[in-house]
Amino acid sequence: MPFQKLKPKVEDILQNKEASVDKRLTEVCELLETSIPYYDWVGFYFKNGDKEELKLRSFAGEPTDHEIIPFGRGICGQVAVSNKNFVVPDVKAQNNYIACSIHVKAEIVIPLFLNGENIGQIDIDSHSEDPFSHEDELFLEWVNKKVAEIL
């Protein structure tokens, strides 16, 4: 499904004030994971209080053992420090990659900002090689801006 068609669906989910924030985040993860063929795992990690680590809050896809990720470790941990998008076309080429599944071939992580502070990120794993484009980055930046509005 093209990104433009997903935007109103993401907005509808996030604007549903009858559902908890966690439920809405999970629904966004599920929408993206089921609508985009190369999004095989979608999750939101957030800074874990005052600790220098990320904590998994909501996801869609296979369960992961990586519910806590220290800053600087793996792709997610690096984004927590760099505050920059990180697109990994081939996870095997990354020496600081934390393997979540033997099937993952590529990953994209986009930081989520609230009032200018990096408070979390959306993380997407793909079982396809090099599937992510600039359009994915722009769409996921937009998703994060919409999520920030409900936090």
Side-chain angles (χ1 to χ4, degrees):
M1 179 178 287
F3 297 130
Q4 291 307 319
K5 287 188 177 177
L6 283 173
K7 284 183 174 184
K9 293 180 181 198
V10 169
E11 287 180 317
D12 286 347
I13 290 168
L14 294 175
Q15 290 169 2
N16 177 11
K17 291 187 169 75
E18 294 187 15
S20 70
V21 169
D22 286 346
K23 173 85 172 126
R24 288 183 265 172
L25 291 175
T26 299
E27 287 180 17
V28 167
C29 292
E30 290 168 347
L31 173 70
L32 299 183
E33 192 257 344
T34 57
S35 301
I36 302 173
Y38 53 94
Y39 284 18
D40 295 297
W41 189 92
V42 179
F44 284 100
Y45 284 92
F46 287 91
K47 187 168 188 236
N48 191 9
D50 292 335
K51 299 176 184 168
E52 293 283 301
E53 65 185 23
L54 297 163
K55 183 174 184 180
L56 182 61
R57 185 162 172 182
S58 302
F59 73 95
E62 292 288 318
T64 179
D65 292 336
H66 300 107
E67 293 185 16
I68 302 289
I69 299 175
F71 281 14
R73 201 130 178 263
I75 308 308
C76 291
Q78 290 177 71
V79 169
V81 174
S82 74
N83 300 320
K84 292 184 169 65
N85 297 354
F86 200 158
V87 181
V88 181
D90 178 6
V91 295
K92 292 189 298 297
Q94 288 293 316
N95 59 0
N96 190 8
Y97 171 69
I98 301 172
C100 294
S101 160
I102 59 168
H103 304 293
V104 176
K105 292 188 167 78
E107 184 172 9
I108 185 171
V109 180
I110 308 294
L112 194 158
F113 296 96
L114 182 62
N115 301 322
E117 179 187 353
N118 181 354
I119 61 157
Q121 54 199 232
I122 190 168
D123 175 24
I124 298 171
D125 292 341
S126 179
H127 298 169
S128 303
E129 290 182 22
D130 196 11
F132 304 114
S133 69
H134 184 61
E135 285 71 33
D136 289 279
E137 283 189 75
L138 294 175
F139 173 68
L140 296 170
E141 288 171 356
W142 176 87
V143 168
N144 280 354
K145 283 182 188 139
K146 293 296 173 185
V147 166
E149 292 173 6
I150 68 162
L151 298 175

